[in-house]
Amino acid sequence: MKLILAIIKPFKLAELVDSVRENPHFPGVTVFEVRGFGHDKTAPHVHGRAEDLRDFTDHVACLIAACDDDADDIVEQIDSVARTGRAGDGKIFVLDLEQAVRIGTGERGEQALC
């Protein structure tokens, strides 16, 4: 199993959700707002003041737990939807996922995802 963390521009989220809903192998997505900066920004000085965070940009983080066989296709789908060709489009990280449990049924492993 894989955990896919995609950090994308907020205006791409609706398009991504529309796209993945059409994919029968897409297990679902959890989304949350994030702020940060990449390699082309200087690190802000963090002193707890809002003005110290001015170099941070808004993005959306999408968490997707996927079966091994589906992970590459899901990454390609996210990449094709989220790419604008401009700096700051975001990043996609793929991590090994040791365990998954569907709380309502007690299913474990890939059965909890697929």
Side-chain angles (χ1 to χ4, degrees), residues 9-113:
K9 294 279 192 177
F11 69 87
K12 286 294 195 171
L13 181 60
E15 186 179 348
L16 177 64
V17 169
D18 289 344
S19 172
V20 299
R21 282 189 174 163
E22 296 172 8
N23 182 340
H25 300 287
F26 198 89
V29 61
T30 299
V31 177
F32 50 98
E33 295 176 4
V34 295
R35 299 192 71 195
F37 62 92
H39 63 85
D40 52 340
K41 298 273 188 180
T42 56
H45 303 285
V46 179
H47 298 291
R49 298 187 316 241
E51 62 269 16
D52 293 328
L53 304 179
R54 65 187 167 274
D55 290 334
F56 281 34
T57 57
D58 295 328
H59 282 79
V60 176
C62 304
L63 285 177
I64 301 126
C67 297
D68 286 327
D69 293 343
D70 299 329
D72 287 340
D73 290 337
I74 292 170
V75 168
E76 290 302 317
Q77 186 173 9
I78 295 167
D79 184 45
S80 68
V81 170
R83 181 187 304 256
T84 67
R86 296 185 302 251
D89 276 349
K91 295 256 188 326
I92 302 172
F93 303 98
V94 181
L95 308 154
D96 287 326
L97 183 61
E98 289 186 31
Q99 183 61 278
V101 177
R102 187 183 310 253
I103 295 172
T105 64
E107 293 170 294
R108 294 181 178 272
E110 287 197 358
Q111 290 76 27
L113 304 178

